[in-house]
Amino acid sequence: MRKEFLPFSIPTIEEEEIQEVVDSLKSGWITTGPKVKRFEDDFKAYVDSPFAVPLSSATAGLHLALLAMGIGAGDEVITTPMTFAATVNVMLHVGATPVFADIEPGTLNIDVRAIRKKITERTKAIVPVHFAGLPCDMDAIFALAKEFNLQILEDAAHAIGTEYKGKRIGSFDTVSVFSFHPIKNITTGEGGMVCTRDEKLAEEVSLLKFHGMSREAWKRYSAQGTPNYDIVLPGFKYNMMDIQAALGIHQLRKLDSFIEQRTKIAEFYNAAFAEVEEILTPSAAPYAYRHAWHLYTPLVRIEKLTIDRDAFMAELKKENIGTGLHFKAVHHHPYYRENLPVSPGELPHADYASERIFSLPLFPKMVMEDAKDVVEAVKNVLARTRK
Ligand SMILES: *Cc1c(COP(=O)(O)O)cnc(C)c1O
């Protein structure tokens, strides 16, 4: 058995990131300033998006995106139940009604045929989540959006570096939102980015992110700025700080090498579990893409074991292997069970995955020996819990 605990995720923070933060601290400019602007420009170039707005989190980005898209009371928004609750919480914040469409059982991405079934006269937008870094079928989603005149908001929290048919997520004619939380593919501590090709929408998000103060308001304390300002609407406080962007600037340069390492580990897991009957590995999609491998999320077939998924994860911990849960389906959480109930059997694939899914360690600093320890631990647990 492995001697030291292997956590499910550790960010890779190196000397460049640390020195850049120190530089910000010593410069006296800590919050939104030149480094946020640099990170915004670098990110736009990386994903190939003409406009990007850096924010304090992806949750903030999803919230402001919905507001800027004009979504509110009386509107329905269709999304996947296999996501982090933030995707859905923000719909409630703007007064809209979330509607769940079931997932594909293999990729765990939203099933476009299921979206079609949930469209009503009140439907205003589709919010696909590129689960674990595997892109949703954007062509099919665009076709549906066009047919029913719907907007598309991509929850791209897992998809920094993901490509669909040769194009980066972030470059499509939608609104897309990325996360830089420490477990995501790159981190700024906390942070998010809204990307769009719509200049007006980007301006609206910019305005909303900082009290409703006109653009470039942060310059009012610099030599070029003036201290006066105008509030043109009641905004929020969702801006990114320079000390966050300091991390992001260096993280972004390493993203492709991070994804390369993540891919090696994920492919090793796929091969190692291919013949293990109790483990269902994530499926590939039938179109060209680059997987960003934010997460490695197999399903454990608990019907073949004497324990449930939570106990299975506890057994892995005894083997010194950390795991994560991404995700318990949103409609299984108490708030949603009570306030947004779905009928039994309405989301069968999400229900199946929700009870069986778990996340294995996957981060760029992992070496192949770590991955081998993980596989061995899974096999050990299966050997003692098989029916
Ligand atoms: C992490 C995550 C978010 C929220 O990101 P934050 O930056 O923590 O606000 C939203 N959606 C999904 C699918 C996520 O995994």
Side-chain angles (χ1 to χ4, degrees), residues 171-369:
S171 70
F172 290 85
D173 194 10
T174 62
V175 186
S176 51
V177 181
F178 297 88
S179 171
F180 310 120
H181 177 275
I183 78 157
K184 302 288 159 58
N185 276 11
I186 62 170
T187 188
T188 59
E190 298 281 359
M193 190 79 76
V194 172
C195 291
T196 179
R197 310 196 82 78
D198 180 339
E199 185 169 13
K200 274 227 174 75
L201 192 136
E203 270 171 16
E204 183 78 6
V205 171
S206 274
L207 211 52
L208 285 167
K209 81 171 180 206
F210 198 66
H211 311 292
M213 240 183 242
S214 40
R215 213 159 187 248
E216 305 292 332
W218 60 270
K219 280 192 181 154
R220 71 193 189 285
Y221 296 123
S222 74
Q224 305 93 17
T226 64
N228 201 349
Y229 60 84
D230 286 316
I231 299 296
V232 297
L233 48 79
F236 297 85
K237 181 70 198 299
Y238 282 166
N239 54 305
M240 180 184 277
M241 301 191 287
D242 261 25
I243 53 177
Q244 294 171 292
L247 295 170
I249 288 163
H250 294 280
Q251 290 273 292
L252 188 60
R253 291 198 192 129
K254 301 173 188 176
L255 173 60
D256 287 327
S257 71
F258 287 171
I259 292 174
E260 229 171 89
Q261 186 60 15
R262 286 174 174 279
T263 304
K264 271 189 207 152
I265 306 278
E267 284 175 353
F268 176 80
Y269 284 153
N270 271 342
F273 295 125
E275 304 301 319
V276 179
E277 211 194 339
E278 295 86 356
I279 301 292
L280 296 171
T281 58
S283 299
Y287 38 78
Y289 61 91
R290 172 166 84 155
H291 202 314
W293 285 114
H294 162 53
L295 296 170
Y296 190 83
T297 52
L299 309 186
V300 57
R301 295 171 74 189
I302 47 177
E303 55 280 8
K304 296 192 173 286
L305 305 183
T306 56
I307 56 172
D308 66 10
R309 184 266 323 279
D310 291 355
F312 180 79
M313 294 197 298
E315 288 299 316
L316 280 171
K317 197 168 179 188
K318 287 186 202 158
E319 300 269 335
N320 267 337
I321 301 299
T323 53
L325 177 51
H326 309 91
F327 300 95
K328 175 155 94 172
V330 177
H331 64 288
H332 289 200
H333 285 284
Y335 179 85
Y336 286 95
R337 270 206 319 258
E338 278 167 37
N339 295 285
L340 205 71
V342 303
S343 8
E346 191 182 328
L347 303 167
H349 299 309
D351 290 339
Y352 184 89
S354 182
E355 308 265 286
R356 290 164 180 80
I357 201 162
F358 66 107
S359 303
L360 284 176
L362 181 63
F363 53 92
K365 274 202 282 197
M366 269 179 83
V367 294
M368 225 24 108
E369 279 308 310

Side-chain angles (χ1 to χ4, degrees), residues 57-59 62 83-84 86-87 129 155 157-158 179 181 184 190-191 327:
S57 70
T59 304
L62 293 164
T83 185
F84 185 52
T87 317
V129 177
D155 182 333
H158 299 180
S179 171
H181 177 275
K184 302 288 159 58
E190 298 281 359
F327 300 95

